[in-house]
């Protein structure tokens, strides 16, 4: 069985979909602007795993707020049943691509989510 770090990856939804993406999961609460459902080629839209609306609004993708956002989002994820759903889904796949709409590939919720999931997967093994 593949290790979780080999299964989960993140990618901007605006990047072209390809067969190597495997199972494609949108992890944003809002549908990304300008992306058709056909172009998105989603297998699942898991809104419930995204940051809460107040947290997303507070963060506003401002670099200086990222560390506070990370801590607050991880606290939300600790109590979020969608985390277990995603981990169970990933256990049966070769590749799961977590899709996000944010511009910055480093300071976004999908990166926090990926790191959180990888840590959760380590704790379970």
């Amino acid at each position: 069985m593949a290790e979780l770090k080999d299964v989960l990856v993140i990618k901007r939804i605006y990047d072209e979909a390809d067969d190597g993406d495997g199972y494609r999961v949108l992890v944003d609460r809002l549908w990304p602007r300008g992306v058709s459902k056909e172009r998105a080629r989603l297998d699942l839209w898991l809104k419930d795993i995204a940051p809460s609306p107040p947290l997303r609004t507070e963060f506003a993708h401002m670099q200086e707020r990222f560390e506070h956002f990370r801590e607050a989002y991880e606290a939300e994820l600790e109590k979020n049943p969608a985390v277990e759903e995603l981990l169970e889904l990933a256990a049966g796949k070769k590749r799961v691509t977590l899709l996000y709409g944010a511009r910055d590939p480093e300071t976004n919720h999908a990166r926090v989510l990926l790191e959180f999931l990888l840590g959760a997967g380590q704790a379970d093994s």
Side-chain angles (χ1 to χ4, degrees), residues 4-16:
L4 204 51
K5 68 178 179 58
D6 298 324
V7 173
L8 294 172
V9 295
I10 61 173
K11 181 177 182 177
R12 282 192 82 220
I13 195 159
Y14 298 102
D15 294 340
E16 210 54 48

Side-chain angles (χ1 to χ4, degrees), residues 7-69:
V7 173
L8 294 172
V9 295
I10 61 173
K11 181 177 182 177
R12 282 192 82 220
I13 195 159
Y14 298 102
D15 294 340
E16 210 54 48
D18 68 53
D19 294 337
D21 292 342
Y23 196 84
R24 293 170 53 89
V25 181
L26 178 60
V27 294
D28 282 352
R29 194 168 298 274
L30 304 174
W31 188 262
R33 279 190 196 142
V35 176
S36 69
K37 293 207 186 308
E38 294 77 30
R39 181 170 174 237
R41 289 180 39 193
L42 289 186
D43 294 296
L44 177 66
W45 183 8
L46 193 56
K47 297 176 197 176
D48 293 340
I49 206 157
S52 65
L55 183 56
R56 185 179 58 81
T57 302
E58 179 186 331
F59 172 42
H61 297 282
M62 296 177 74
Q63 181 76 36
E64 63 274 13
R65 296 180 184 170
F66 186 67
E67 283 312 310
H68 170 73
F69 168 77

